[in-house]
Amino acid sequence: MKRRYVSDITEGVIWKQLLFFFVPILLGSLFQQLYNMVDAMIVGRFVGTEALAAVDTTSSFTSLLINFFVGAASGTSVIVSQHYGAREDLQVSRAVHTGMAFSVAGGIVVMLLGILAAPACFRLISVPEEIMGDALTYIRIFFLGTVAQFAYNVGAGILRAVGDSRRPLYFLIVGCIANVFLDLLFVVVFRLGVAGAAIATVLSQVISLILVLYTLMRAEDTFQLVLKKVRFHRDMLFSILRVGIPMGLQSSMYSISNMIIRAAVNTFGTVVIAAWAVSGRMDAIVWMVMDTFGIAVTTFSAQNYGAGKIDRVHKSVRVCLLMGSITIVSISAMLYFISPYFGMLFTDDPEVLELGTYIVRFWAPFFITYIGSDILSGAIRGTGETMRPMMLTMFGTCILRVVWIFTVVQIHHTLEMVMLSYPITWVITSGMFIIYYLRGKWLKTRAGADSPAA
């Protein structure tokens, strides 16, 4: 098969390559966020505050299951990127087909778990009875689309792994436009409420999946997808899971802690839940940018590590930290000032708007403290070391938050104490990652590497 390198990021100016790689992923992440934001905007505006709260309260549970399997499937991207950088063509093909098989199997498992476990989970996190019905309706339809969601994420991850970050962006743009149109059709025209929003999301994900599958099947390169070759290669599956399961567990740590925090938030009533939803749509911009830097540096790190260019791995981290810090400070300042107006996109309830603005402004000065965690863990994961980043994340963003909720918040039961759980753990987690990165024990130098671990 003719091999055409989509993007060789093992050579050239690092900051330019990171920037050109980062921007399409960022725009893609923006459109990914718009899937949920459009649901919230249309539901909040055309159905009401309780419907908005119902849609948002499902997010912690859906994230718990989906983040684990998407994180685990992301092991495909790392393995593909490493073999692609090392020019190991057969291994690239085996990783692609094993990853797609895993996405289908994982999607079916999550669909069944999500539909069956939703009622018990919602009772566990104290979802108010007045929004329980809408929440269950939304989540059951939403989980019907998990196979499409997983397969799309694996397919897009494969394209990014070989340096093609543009086409996944185009597919998300198409999917987002479809989601807006379908939301308006099902919610506003057909008046299906939260069910209409869920149906629109599922159908738009299917559209994005069709586009990414078509691209992979038509590729004239080693990552070409051939449907009859989609199956599990045992050795490759173990490699993907060795990298992916810790990544999945790391992703699920956020969801577990957020579910516990959500349970604490739910005790303050529907207005607070809705305000938390509005603030969440705003601070999602920050996390979207941080995650994008993490994805960019993971792929950059993986290809250069595969090529044995360790020095470029370290340089990319320094460049990415500088770029990320400037970006996050700018976005935090913007959110601080525009939050009252941004919130109007989702609701016209003055009490919800005021509280949502207060929450965002409380967090805004602290967002910068987490940038080190995302970028350093991304670079480390790119080299295939995923267990220790998972353990650091588990302690910093899950265990500490749980301890905080069950100790400090129980003593001082106020919304401010719940909100404070985030910045405290951001600082501690980033500090642990900085220490671990600088010690350098995470990096095992490949044969032919250009420098030892720093």
Side-chain angles (χ1 to χ4, degrees):
M1 179 180 292
K2 182 180 180 181
R3 183 171 174 82
R4 300 186 305 177
Y5 287 90
V6 175
S7 178
D8 188 351
I9 53 179
T10 62
E11 303 287 346
V13 180
I14 292 177
W15 73 265
K16 289 183 179 179
Q17 292 176 327
L18 278 172
L19 186 62
F20 285 124
F21 196 64
F22 167 81
V23 171
I25 298 177
L26 175 62
L27 293 175
S29 298
L30 174 61
F31 282 97
Q32 186 85 57
Q33 287 291 334
L34 284 176
Y35 271 91
N36 291 330
M37 288 181 66
V38 167
D39 286 349
M41 288 165 60
I42 293 177
V43 168
R45 279 288 182 177
F46 292 97
V47 185
T49 297
E50 288 189 358
L52 172 62
V55 170
D56 186 74
T57 201
T58 66
S59 62
S60 56
F61 177 57
T62 57
S63 295
L64 174 62
L65 293 178
I66 289 175
N67 284 356
F68 173 76
F69 278 92
V70 169
S74 295
T76 302
S77 179
V78 172
I79 297 301
V80 168
S81 192
Q82 287 184 353
H83 289 304
Y84 199 80
R87 277 52 170 180
E88 297 168 346
D89 297 353
L90 177 61
Q91 297 296 79
V92 170
S93 179
R94 286 159 57 87
V96 166
H97 292 96
T98 300
M100 292 305 297
F102 181 71
S103 71
V104 174
I108 293 172
V109 170
V110 171
M111 177 181 68
L112 296 175
L113 283 176
I115 292 173
L116 295 175
C121 181
F122 286 168
R123 287 192 292 271
L124 184 64
I125 62 174
S126 306
V127 174
E129 285 299 323
E130 61 266 26
I131 64 174
M132 178 70 79
D134 280 345
L136 287 173
T137 297
Y138 183 88
I139 205 168
R140 284 167 174 162
I141 297 172
F142 177 88
F143 273 118
L144 292 175
T146 51
V147 173
Q149 185 175 3
F150 284 13
Y152 168 77
N153 276 283
V154 169
I158 290 169
L159 290 175
R160 295 190 188 105
V162 300
D164 182 0
S165 57
R166 290 177 297 174
R167 283 183 289 187
L169 167 62
Y170 302 151
F171 304 152
L172 277 175
I173 291 174
V174 172
C176 188
I177 292 172
N179 193 39
V180 173
F181 172 78
L182 293 171
D183 261 327
L184 292 171
L185 179 66
F186 292 133
V187 177
V188 181
V189 178
F190 293 158
R191 299 186 181 279
L192 296 179
V194 296
I199 293 170
T201 298
V202 170
L203 292 179
S204 59
Q205 289 170 344
V206 171
I207 292 170
S208 295
L209 171 62
I210 292 172
L211 292 172
V212 80
L213 288 179
Y214 177 81
T215 300
L216 289 172
M217 291 169 66
R218 293 292 299 272
E220 296 181 3
D221 206 332
T222 55
F223 59 88
Q224 181 186 46
L225 176 67
V226 181
L227 292 182
K228 66 180 180 181
K229 293 184 178 180
V230 173
R231 66 182 182 89
F232 291 111
H233 296 274
R234 181 180 299 179
D235 58 334
M236 192 58 65
L237 178 62
F238 288 159
S239 295
I240 290 172
L241 293 179
R242 176 181 56 81
V243 174
I245 286 181
M247 292 173 68
L249 289 173
Q250 180 173 337
S251 296
S252 66
M253 292 303 103
Y254 298 104
S255 302
I256 292 171
S257 64
N258 286 338
M259 283 182 66
I260 293 170
I261 292 172
R262 168 69 66 177
V265 170
N266 288 346
T267 63
F268 293 99
T270 301
V271 171
V272 174
I273 295 174
W276 196 267
V278 170
S279 66
R281 303 306 174 184
M282 287 186 270
D283 72 48
I285 298 173
V286 175
W287 304 119
M288 173 189 67
V289 172
M290 288 192 187
D291 288 345
T292 302
F293 275 114
I295 293 169
V297 79
T298 296
T299 302
F300 196 96
S301 173
Q303 276 204 30
N304 282 279
Y305 180 75
K309 299 188 175 183
I310 307 303
D311 185 55
R312 284 178 64 83
V313 174
H314 293 302
K315 288 180 179 178
S316 70
V317 170
R318 294 193 292 270
V319 171
C320 209
L321 282 171
L322 178 60
M323 294 168 61
S325 297
I326 294 172
T327 305
I328 294 302
V329 168
S330 301
I331 293 175
S332 299
M334 178 192 71
L335 285 177
Y336 188 92
F337 292 107
I338 73 166
S339 52
Y341 313 103
F342 193 95
M344 293 178 184
L345 294 173
F346 304 97
T347 183
D348 55 7
D349 187 320
E351 190 175 2
V352 172
L353 282 172
E354 181 180 1
L355 186 55
T357 298
Y358 172 69
I359 294 171
V360 171
R361 288 181 169 175
F362 183 94
W363 285 334
F366 299 102
F367 287 136
I368 184 62
T369 62
Y370 198 67
I371 191 69
S373 178
D374 260 10
I375 290 175
L376 296 179
S377 64
I380 293 168
R381 287 197 306 268
T383 68
E385 172 55 76
T386 57
M387 182 60 69
R388 287 181 177 82
M390 181 271 291
M391 294 172 64
L392 292 177
T393 301
M394 177 185 295
F395 179 76
T397 64
C398 185
I399 295 176
L400 288 183
R401 288 179 187 173
V402 171
V403 170
W404 182 272
I405 293 298
F406 285 107
T407 55
V408 177
V409 174
Q410 294 301 313
I411 298 171
H412 304 284
H413 190 252
T414 65
L415 184 60
E416 286 75 13
M417 286 296 104
V418 176
M419 292 157 55
L420 195 59
S421 65
Y422 284 106
I424 286 177
T425 54
W426 295 340
V427 171
I428 294 174
T429 306
S430 280
M432 291 190 299
F433 269 104
I434 291 170
I435 294 171
Y436 179 62
Y437 177 83
L438 292 176
R439 291 182 66 185
K441 294 183 178 180
W442 51 274
L443 185 56
K444 297 178 178 63
T445 307
R446 285 176 64 97
D450 55 13
S451 71

